[in-house]
Each structure stands twice: as structure tokens, then as C-alpha cells.
Amino acid sequence: MNSVGKGVIKKDAMALVTGQPVYCDDLAPKDCLIVKLLRSPHAYAKIRSIDTSIAKRIPGIEAVYTYEDVPTSRFTLAGQSYPEPSPYDRRILENVVRYVGDEVAIVAGANEDCVDRALKAIKVDYEVLEPLLDFEKSIDNAIVVHEEDDYKCLCEIGNDVKRNIVSSGESVVGDVDAVLNDCEVVLERDYHTKANAQAMMETMRSYCYIDTYGRLNCVSSTQIPFHVRRILSNALEIPKSKINVIKPRIGGGFGAKQTACCEIFTAFVTWKLKKPSKIVYTREETFAASNSRHEMKMHVRIGAKKDGTIEAIDLYTLSNQGAYGEHGPTTIGLAGHKSLPLYNHVKASRFTYDVVYTNTMRAGAYRGYGATQGQFAVESIINELADELNMDPCEIRFKNMTRENEVLSQYYNEELNACALDRCLEKAMEMIDYKNKPLRRDMGDFVRGLGVSLSMQGSGISCLDVGSVEIKLQDDGFYTLSIGATDMGTGCDTILAQMVAECMDCDVDQVVTSSLDTDHAPYDTGSYASSTTYVTGTAVVKACEKLRNSILEAAAGFFDVDKEDIEFDGKKIYTLDHTHEMSLADFADACFNGGIAKALIASDSHMSPTSPPPFMVGIAEVDVDKLTGEIKVHDYVSVVDCGTVINPNLARVQAEGGIVQGIGMALSEDITYSNEGKMRNRNFLQYKLPTRVDVPSVRVEFESSYEDNGPFGAKSIGEVVINTPTSAIASAIKHATGVQVRTLPITAEKVLLGKEDE
């Protein structure tokens, strides 16, 4: 292939590295009203009264809005296809606040100074209520987080709001209890993953304006422009036809911007005042008043024969949703359905779950989307089983891992068409010289351990989410590709252009990719669920096939021959007998300037009936200081099966970035709350992201498979890359020290004091 499989430089690389004004706040008009939010200091309270009279009199203040001024419809901020599984449990503002940081009032003014003064001048009388902060005590607690009568769900999600249950369910294959009773070895363990911040560079932000036709235009740093349009329509109670959502470049998202945290506030202000307005969250607001990864506790039972054959796995997961239900019913499914299928040969498996409300900041989407938590538990108990049986952790995986052409019973009974998981493990072992190293080595002042983990994810949401594209042949013979997908730094604009170049036999530079707005871009559900390469990429291939056919038909008419007698090689169009020939540039000009006089445009959409899983293997080599317990990742190797690798350079940095995020989750990142429900880790001084000093040698390779349903055999890569570090590092520390820490993050204190479950 000429373009696919090549390390093409990102189309926006030069603009980004030279600091061009491409982001949301760069583009906002200078005369925008500044919008800021008064936030609750209490985790749970009712508002008795709000006095905004002084605030409104401050010079420069345009408006102050409270719950008495906004529409009363309930909606969800989750960026999901309609009907959304997430419950409709919020308003723009209401007289109940459910976490520290919940919105109380909207202030709009001419500048930041007057708005800040107005925020301080608002007087709120709260009836402070006892908050529910411990998610293990949420179900059937006397404290009910949502007592409103107009709460509603559009889907059956096992919701029981009066018991604080957002969602519950189970998926059962075989008789788990009977099989476990007959197993020669049974382990039972509890694992705990904490909430994590996505910590993207660009905080939440948007601006809005009214156009010439009286329509609301929302410019937003979002992964989900089309979902934002629906959310604004629901929140403002206006038709979607009155709304256009524009997506500029995004300074990172990692799932956080799959929730429309801030757009409703500028949209409301602009719709009311008919003036442009903007909101830019501070870093503290993005930490404490947007969304995070779901905290989860997982109880796992595993049964096996003494030879290492795994016969049953039973997983129960409790998920802390926080104050509002965005993404709760969907993240939880991945905890089981993207972990249990890794060991598909068991006689029985069971996945049960509850997602519960608490008075903490709402959880949402974060790279891995529930699979990360579930795989920490399942892969950790596999490692503990191997240690219990005195088996090598790679050997037990070779014995039990899923393989190509199997039907995955816990993965919606999908058939596994493409799987190189066994070859990934073999290659990872070679990369780190695994067979020539013991699991534990005494290095003098420190001990070095090895740990292994497997991972899988999905490629889009099958039978639901849609990717669409439109491609045009322009004069002079170049192509414009319009997409509704969102490039949030992943390089999808480049990758999709590579696919066009491959299909149309042209250079990537001949393809101009544009992701415009919801008025002009073809519909796309958004950039999430690892969908763009697989789902939108397939739409690209289908549209290119149509365009090639249109070119041949138009040329046949122009040359007055049958279409079957026309050949197109990407540069020129000619008859098979070579009596007629035109360059593509001349042909395109003829389409625009006479002769052919036909605009050649093709569009297509794709919704996949399957979601083929990519796979990954990670092996960690970790050093633990004997005296201090300090933990350092010495080496980390990984091998990814994402089908055909469309752009190796972009795929590699995706994997490297995901691994670093996983190392942070394993060793340092931890969102905690005070007894009053206030988040402690609200900035980068308190929330410990791994820095370059903390990142070891990270080596990434690929082991190709070929997915028949994907474009050029490709599967996804965006999320699978974050999942292996937690369990691999935990196992490496266990081998080094004998301490199996089951609650993340793993700290020196836990290792030194043997705090396995704290």
C-alpha cells in the first residue's frame, strides 16, 4: 500500500507546534461576555433563598441567573446516541446542590473583574443536608441523592433511584457456583480502583454567539458536537434547527469532553441576551466540577484446576457514579464485558454490578471507560492464581487466553475474526528477554520484579454509533474530505486522509480534511469508544468507492465510451485503447468549467454490526527500594494488535501516552475527598501526574492481524493502550516484595507496611 501503513506527519502538526490560534479561546470574539459560575460549598444542600440584587448592580454585569430563571426540563450531559442510557437527572440550575462545586448561579459580565466581584456579592441561604460520601453505603441509605419527581430514564438500565441505584444488572454464562464448588483451587479477592482525572491540557471551555439568522452558534472544545446540539436543545427547550455546534481544535480530552460540562451555561446566556459569551474553566474547576474516571470496587472469585486451567470467574463490580448519572450505566458494562472475554474457555462466568449515586463530583468517560478498572481486577487475580499454583504468569495465560475464531460469550457473543494476542505475548517476552530473567531479582539496594498483563477493548459501539463522510473532487484535481468526527490530538484527520489517498491512488497532500460544524459536516456520533479509525474509516472507504465510480461514469460520458473501457490510476483517466486520455487536474477542471459540468461528490455512512476487539500485552519491570519502598518502573514493553496499523507513528505515540497514563493510575493518581465532601486534589501540585522523570523506557511494537470488517483490516487503538500497566506493575511489585497491593495507587507506604487492601 502506498499511503496506509506509512508514518505520515499529522496534517495539523506545524500549526500546533508554532502556536497558531486554533483552539476555542483563541477564536472567541474580543467582545464576548465573560461567564462564570457560583458553585456550592456544600456536598448536599437545599437553597432556601438567593439574593443577587447587589451583584446585579455592579458596573459591567449584564445578568445573574439562578434556578428561578432557567428552563425546568431535565436532561443528561452525557454524549451518547439517543435514547441515552444515562438518566435525565439534572437541570441547568436547580434549588438542590448535590456535590461541592455544583452550580448555583450564572454570572455574565463585561470583564473578569466585575464578574468575580459579582460572584462574591451573591448571598445564598443553604439548608445544609448530611451528604452521602461512601459509595459502599449508598444502596438503601436513608440519604437519597435524587428525590425529584421528574427524574426519568429513557432506557431500561436497572435503575432504582430511591435506593440510590443508577444502574444494575448481570450477565451469566453457565452455573458459576456449581463449577466453583468443583474446582481444585479457588481464590477470592477484592480490588479497588480510585477516581482519576483526565488531566488534559486544555480545560473545559466554550463560547456562543447569535448569527445573522437568529440561530445559536456554540463553539466548543468537545468530542461530541452532534450530541452537544441535542443536549442544548433539551436544556434550553428550543429546536435543534436553531442550534449549530462548531468544533475547533481540541487541546486533549481523553473522554472528559464526552460530557457537555460547560456549553449549557454560555448557550443559555447568549440565547437570553442575544450577545456573545464565553466560559473558560479554571484548572480547579476542571478537576473538581467536571467529571472523572469512576471509582470501582470489584469482588472476584476464580476457580481452576491445579494444572492452571481456569474453569470459572465471578466478578461483582460496585461503581461510584457521584452526583449525576452521566455514563454510569455504560462504563460499568465494560468492567466485565472487556475483561472476562480474555479468558473465554471457562465453563462458567458471571458479571454482576451496581452503579450508585453519592454526593461527590459526577464520574464520566475516561480512556478505557470501565475496562481499565475491570481488567485491573481480573488480570490481578490471574496473576495471584499463577503465584498460588507456582506457575509462570505467561504460561497460565498461554494456557487460557482467547484465540482467533472463537465466539466470545461475555462479549455479546461476537465472533473473534482477528486476534494476535498469543503472538503479542510471545513478542513482548522476547522484547524484555523474559525467559532469561527470574520474576524476582535482588539488585542490592533494591529488588526488581516482573509483571504481566493482557488487555482488550472494542472498536466503536456496534449496532448504534454512526460515522459519516463526504468527499468531493475539486478543480485542479484535489479532494476535500468532510468529516463529523473530532480530532482531539489523535490524528484522525490525517489517518482518514491516508485512507482516501489509498483508495484514490493519490498523495495524502492532495486530500484536505475538514471537520466543520453540525450544519455542514456529515453526521458522526463523535470521537469516543475507539470508533473513528474503524467506523468512520469504513465510511471513508465506502464513499471513495462511490466517487471512483462517479469519476469513471463521468469520463465515459465525456469520451463517449462504455464505463468498462475507462481506467483511472489516480493521476490520469484514459480509455483502455489509449485513444483518449486526460490528467485528473484537467478532468476536474472540465467538471467545474464546462465539458463535463458535473460536480463529483460522494458521501456514505457506516454503522458496524460488530465491535472487533484490539488486544495488547504489557510486561513491566519494576524496582522497589528495600529501605524506603520507593517504586520505579525500570522498563515497560508492550505489543499491540490493532489489526492493520494505518499510521505507525501515530499508533506508537497513542500507545506510549496510554501506558504513561496507566503508570500514573498505578502509582500516584488518586482523587480524595474531605469528610465534608470537598475534593482535596484540585490542582497539579496535589494531583500527582507522572512526569518525564517518572516515565521509564517505554517500548511499543505491533503484531498485525487482519479484521475483515475494518478498513484495510484495521481495528481501534485509542483505549486498549491504557489498560495493562496497573495489573502488570502490581504483579511486578508482588514478585519483588511479596506484597500484593489491591487498592490503587500503589505507594511506598503500602508496600513497606504491607497494606494490601487499603
Side-chain angles (χ1 to χ4, degrees):
M1 291 185 282
N2 295 318
S3 298
V4 166
K6 303 298 188 293
V8 176
I9 296 172
K10 286 177 62 179
K11 283 185 168 290
D12 59 355
M14 190 56 65
L16 298 183
V17 299
T18 57
Q20 297 301 307
V22 297
Y23 297 104
C24 183
D25 196 32
D26 297 330
L27 306 176
K30 299 301 181 186
D31 62 344
C32 271
L33 294 175
I34 302 300
V35 175
K36 293 192 178 186
L37 306 170
L38 180 67
R39 298 187 179 278
S40 170
H42 306 294
Y44 199 18
K46 291 182 180 178
I47 298 172
R48 293 194 184 103
S49 64
I50 306 181
D51 183 357
T52 62
S53 58
I54 297 175
K56 288 178 178 178
R57 292 199 297 269
I58 292 174
I61 292 299
E62 289 275 345
V64 180
Y65 298 111
T66 71
Y67 69 89
E68 296 175 328
D69 304 308
V70 300
T72 58
S73 293
R74 291 203 178 270
F75 55 91
T76 177
L77 295 178
Q80 299 172 310
S81 293
Y82 181 86
E84 305 97 324
S86 298
Y88 279 31
D89 60 0
R90 66 159 60 246
R91 294 175 180 168
I92 298 174
L93 299 170
E94 61 181 306
N95 66 339
V96 178
V97 288
R98 297 182 174 89
Y99 72 97
V100 175
D102 210 350
E103 298 85 11
V104 175
I106 307 168
V107 178
N111 54 65
E112 291 205 21
D113 180 64
C114 70
V115 172
D116 289 339
R117 289 171 58 202
L119 288 172
K120 295 175 182 177
I122 298 172
K123 305 300 181 185
V124 186
D125 181 18
Y126 295 98
E127 178 190 346
V128 179
L129 307 173
E130 182 183 355
L132 174 55
L133 301 176
D134 185 346
F135 76 117
E136 291 187 85
K137 298 177 181 178
S138 180
I139 296 177
D140 294 324
N141 198 292
I143 302 168
V144 178
V145 177
H146 282 273
E147 296 185 297
E148 62 269 23
D149 295 330
D150 55 347
Y151 179 105
K152 65 180 179 180
C153 296
L154 304 188
C155 303
E156 175 50 53
I157 55 173
N159 177 273
D160 193 342
V161 66
K162 299 308 177 187
R163 299 180 62 208
N164 289 320
I165 297 175
V166 181
S167 181
S168 61
E170 68 175 4
S171 175
V172 182
V173 177
D175 190 334
V176 172
D177 294 319
V179 174
L180 284 172
N181 286 336
D182 292 337
C183 287
E184 296 173 334
V185 179
V186 176
L187 297 186
E188 190 167 358
R189 300 287 189 269
D190 291 296
Y191 301 93
H192 186 185
T193 60
K194 298 295 192 67
N196 302 132
Q198 298 92 340
M200 60 281 178
M201 285 195 292
E202 183 192 33
T203 62
M204 302 292 182
R205 57 195 61 195
S206 73
Y207 74 87
C208 291
Y209 63 92
I210 301 294
D211 65 21
T212 307
Y213 305 99
R215 299 175 72 229
L216 176 68
N217 288 257
C218 176
V219 183
S220 174
S221 177
T222 181
Q223 299 172 221
I224 46 160
F226 285 93
H227 293 330
V228 168
R229 182 175 65 180
R230 182 181 65 252
I231 290 165
L232 295 182
S233 174
N234 290 340
L236 301 183
E237 299 176 352
I238 62 176
K240 293 187 188 74
S241 61
K242 296 287 187 182
I243 303 168
N244 180 34
V245 178
I246 303 162
K247 179 211 71 69
R249 267 288 171 265
I250 300 177
F254 305 118
K257 294 172 183 176
Q258 197 189 337
T259 300
C261 297
C262 65
E263 293 87 346
I264 55 174
F265 304 112
T266 48
F268 178 74
V269 168
T270 294
W271 190 247
K272 291 283 284 187
L273 299 178
K274 308 305 180 190
K275 294 182 178 181
S277 68
K278 76 171 182 178
I279 189 168
V280 177
Y281 276 23
T282 64
R283 180 58 61 183
E284 181 170 326
E285 285 180 299
T286 300
F287 266 112
S290 61
N291 62 89
S292 68
R293 187 185 295 284
H294 289 74
E295 179 183 13
M296 293 187 186
K297 279 201 168 181
M298 292 147 287
H299 181 77
V300 194
R301 295 190 296 163
I302 191 168
K305 295 180 180 179
K306 290 182 179 179
D307 68 356
T309 302
I310 301 171
E311 301 204 299
I313 306 177
D314 187 12
L315 170 64
Y316 170 72
T317 301
L318 179 68
S319 177
N320 183 3
Q321 178 55 45
Y324 298 98
E326 289 98 1
H327 298 283
T330 43
T331 50
I332 190 64
L334 276 66
H337 296 307
K338 303 258 171 95
S339 59
L340 298 178
L342 286 165
Y343 303 97
N344 191 51
H345 306 153
V346 295
K347 294 179 181 177
S349 62
R350 178 168 56 202
F351 171 48
T352 53
Y353 61 85
D354 291 298
V355 184
V356 296
Y357 283 116
T358 60
N359 292 115
T360 58
M361 183 185 73
R362 62 187 176 268
Y366 183 7
R367 193 179 203 169
Y369 202 79
T372 312
Q373 298 95 306
Q375 287 173 23
F376 170 66
V378 170
E379 285 299 289
S380 290
I381 204 166
I382 296 293
N383 285 325
E384 292 202 54
L385 177 64
D387 293 342
E388 180 77 14
L389 297 173
N390 292 315
M391 283 185 71
D392 182 86
C394 292
E395 179 186 351
I396 199 170
R397 286 174 167 84
F398 280 125
K399 191 177 186 68
N400 293 281
M401 69 171 60
T402 190
R403 297 179 186 262
E404 202 162 86
N405 298 320
E406 295 180 3
V407 175
L408 305 180
S409 56
Q410 281 284 12
Y411 190 60
Y412 320 110
N413 288 312
E414 283 199 17
E415 184 174 351
L416 190 56
N417 295 324
C419 175
L421 185 57
D422 52 344
R423 287 181 278 125
C424 288
L425 183 53
E426 290 169 357
K427 181 176 282 190
M429 293 170 69
E430 291 172 5
M431 289 170 66
I432 208 163
D433 196 23
Y434 186 90
K435 291 182 179 179
N436 294 318
K437 295 178 179 178
L439 295 178
R440 180 186 188 277
R441 281 183 289 166
D442 192 321
M443 309 295 288
D445 292 338
F446 60 90
V447 188
R448 180 169 292 168
L450 281 171
V452 183
S453 181
L454 309 183
S455 174
M456 63 176 283
Q457 200 75 31
S459 300
I461 303 175
S462 60
C463 302
L464 181 64
D465 283 349
V466 176
S468 306
V469 304
E470 181 181 78
I471 182 169
K472 302 176 184 178
L473 175 64
Q474 302 284 8
D475 54 340
D476 206 30
F478 72 97
Y479 302 96
T480 52
L481 174 67
S482 297
I483 62 173
T486 299
D487 191 329
M488 52 180 172
T490 54
C492 75
D493 287 2
T494 305
I495 288 167
L496 297 176
Q498 287 180 255
M499 294 184 188
V500 172
E502 193 66 47
C503 291
M504 304 307 294
D505 293 310
C506 67
D507 294 332
V508 176
D509 289 341
Q510 284 180 255
V511 184
V512 177
T513 310
S514 61
S515 178
L516 302 169
D517 53 43
T518 54
D519 278 355
H520 301 98
Y523 178 76
D524 195 292
T525 43
S527 292
Y528 59 88
S530 301
S531 63
T532 306
T533 296
Y534 178 74
V535 178
T536 309
T538 303
V540 167
V541 173
K542 292 161 69 174
C544 286
E545 290 173 355
K546 286 184 177 180
L547 184 59
R548 285 191 74 102
N549 188 61
S550 296
I551 290 172
L552 294 175
E553 287 180 347
F558 185 67
F559 293 146
D560 194 23
V561 298
D562 292 336
K563 187 179 78 171
E564 291 72 21
D565 296 328
I566 296 291
E567 188 66 45
F568 171 47
D569 65 5
K571 295 181 175 60
K572 61 183 181 299
I573 301 154
Y574 55 91
T575 56
L576 295 177
D577 61 6
H578 293 281
T579 57
H580 300 283
E581 182 176 312
M582 290 181 77
S583 69
L584 178 61
D586 290 341
F587 174 82
D589 287 338
C591 290
F592 278 79
N593 303 321
I596 297 174
K598 182 179 182 181
L600 297 185
I601 303 170
S603 62
D604 216 319
S605 302
H606 185 65
M607 180 178 68
S608 177
T610 61
S611 178
F615 295 93
M616 180 172 174
V617 171
I619 301 180
E621 200 165 27
V622 177
D623 295 339
V624 182
D625 189 285
K626 293 179 181 178
L627 180 63
T628 66
E630 181 184 10
I631 302 162
K632 292 184 178 179
V633 180
H634 171 72
D635 194 9
Y636 200 97
V637 301
S638 65
V639 184
V640 185
D641 164 23
C642 57
T644 299
V645 183
I646 303 296
N647 187 316
N649 289 353
L650 298 182
R652 180 165 282 104
V653 296
Q654 281 267 37
E656 291 170 349
I659 290 166
V660 172
Q661 288 176 309
I663 290 171
M665 181 178 178
L667 297 179
S668 62
E669 296 184 45
D670 186 9
I671 288 176
T672 61
Y673 290 87
S674 70
N675 292 335
E676 293 74 37
K678 185 173 184 178
M679 187 184 293
R680 296 190 180 101
N681 324 80
R682 304 190 304 279
N683 56 55
F684 285 136
L685 289 176
Q686 297 164 310
Y687 188 80
K688 297 181 180 179
L689 288 174
T691 67
R692 189 65 189 88
V693 176
D694 305 311
V695 176
S697 162
V698 173
R699 294 181 283 146
V700 177
E701 294 296 340
F702 300 95
E703 188 65 45
S704 291
S705 61
Y706 191 90
E707 172 52 52
D708 293 336
N709 297 311
F712 306 100
K715 300 185 286 188
S716 76
I717 191 173
E719 293 181 278
V720 69
V721 292
I722 198 174
N723 296 330
T724 59
T726 52
S727 47
I729 290 171
S731 181
I733 292 169
K734 163 66 185 312
H735 292 145
T737 66
V739 179
Q740 178 75 51
V741 179
R742 302 185 184 94
T743 296
L744 299 180
I746 307 168
T747 63
E749 178 189 16
K750 291 178 182 179
V751 172
L752 280 178
L753 301 181
K755 296 181 176 181
E756 296 191 334
D757 298 310
E758 295 183 22

